[in-house]
Amino acid sequence: MASGGFRAIVLGATGATGRELTTKLAKLESCTQIRALVRREVDVASSFPGIGEAASKLSLIVTDFDNLWSQREHFFDCDVAFSCVGTSRANPAVKADMEKDGDDAGFEKWLKKVDLGYSKAFAETAAKAGVKHLTRISARGADSKNMGSGFNLYHRYQGLADEAVLGLAEKFSHGVTCLRPGLLNRGEMARQHEAELYKKRTGLEVGLLAEASIKEWELRQASGASNTSKVVDLIEIIQSVGGDPGKYGV
């Protein structure tokens, strides 16, 4: 760990959860630097609302996500890695492939590439670089054995990605954690179908999920080296930040 603090590297930093996590890390006194792997240059102020002067801790690294190993130099002196990357059927490229190849085939292509492929490559690179701990944002219902169609594909690939990442736990001195929240409240970044769901159910605020991710790292630090794997479900996520599970229907 860097003297007096820790360094973090984040994949998926500009997504709803990733930007909350990155901003909170930047404002955390014990975090001395955040390296965010991004696909293209972004404006820090608009991409990370509220980061303010803490933006001085943030380094944006334009990265070819299909070749994460090429950016391994940026992993070497980091203490913790956060994987927040994921795809969506609302993504224009995903929608185009769903129209061209069929809903399931088009969606599965991107789940395999992003949710499984990028998550696995990021974890493998972090492990080889000596990063101490990795936390991955997964999803409630993740199950590699779910062979259903439609949105079941999403749950299957979350399960496959979790298995790939958790299987690397022994290569991290402070292990690996997968957080499995349910419906997320992405605020202004909410997808259309989620906005409709919010009328019936309360989604977990992405800011709270970001807090839970940081707390998991802090717990790992406090307890010392232990290269174990851990899955944290929705109730545990909510309780870790002092929330009421009943508010979220669990």
Side-chain angles (χ1 to χ4, degrees):
M1 183 182 300
S3 177
F6 68 88
R7 297 187 181 99
I9 188 163
V10 182
L11 182 69
T14 57
T17 302
R19 73 174 189 173
E20 287 284 344
L21 173 66
T22 300
T23 299
K24 289 181 184 297
L25 284 169
K27 292 186 172 184
L28 196 64
E29 186 176 350
S30 58
C31 183
T32 60
Q33 187 180 46
I34 308 100
R35 297 169 188 171
L37 305 183
V38 295
R39 292 185 177 88
R40 63 190 68 84
E41 292 287 353
V42 298
D43 178 72
V44 172
S46 59
S47 297
F48 304 97
I51 195 169
E53 295 181 359
S56 61
K57 295 183 182 180
L58 176 62
S59 298
L60 299 179
I61 302 162
V62 176
T63 302
D64 175 5
F65 282 19
D66 292 314
N67 187 14
L68 286 167
W69 181 244
S70 67
Q71 298 296 335
R72 59 190 178 278
E73 65 186 88
H74 299 293
F75 288 72
F76 282 128
D77 58 351
C78 286
D79 301 287
V80 59
F82 295 96
S83 180
C84 309
V85 73
T87 194
S88 165
R89 290 181 295 187
N91 181 292
V94 178
K95 291 174 72 173
D97 278 334
M98 289 173 67
E99 292 176 3
K100 178 171 68 74
D101 302 327
D103 287 355
D104 284 359
F107 189 32
E108 185 172 16
K109 171 185 174 180
W110 285 92
L111 289 168
K112 184 180 295 185
K113 177 185 178 72
V114 177
D115 297 63
L116 175 56
Y118 292 168
S119 296
K120 182 179 178 182
F122 181 69
E124 289 175 339
T125 304
K128 290 176 182 177
V131 174
K132 295 178 180 179
H133 174 70
L134 181 137
T135 284
R136 166 178 142 75
I137 304 300
S138 179
R140 193 179 189 189
D143 180 3
S144 64
K145 296 180 176 61
N146 186 335
M147 303 305 291
S149 59
F151 204 68
N152 287 303
L153 288 166
Y154 176 80
H155 294 301
R156 179 187 176 207
Y157 276 90
Q158 297 315 306
L160 289 169
D162 284 357
E163 289 178 1
V165 170
L166 293 168
L168 295 169
E170 65 179 16
K171 298 182 182 298
F172 292 86
S173 64
H174 289 60
V176 170
T177 300
C178 287
L179 302 183
R180 292 180 175 174
L183 174 67
L184 294 179
N185 183 342
R186 304 175 201 271
E188 64 183 30
M189 295 184 76
R191 298 157 185 168
Q192 185 174 0
H193 74 279
E194 290 174 332
E196 291 300 314
L197 286 174
Y198 296 159
K199 298 176 182 178
K200 303 174 183 178
R201 296 164 51 195
T202 300
L204 179 68
E205 295 82 359
V206 289
L208 292 183
L209 179 56
E211 286 182 29
S213 301
I214 295 171
K215 283 188 177 294
E216 176 60 22
W217 162 234
E218 291 174 336
L219 285 171
R220 294 277 188 163
Q221 284 182 289
S223 61
S226 175
N227 58 351
T228 57
S229 61
K230 180 180 178 182
V231 174
V232 183
D233 65 19
L234 177 58
I235 292 178
E236 291 177 284
I237 291 170
I238 297 167
Q239 292 175 334
S240 74
V241 292
D244 175 14
K247 174 183 175 182
Y248 304 94
V250 293

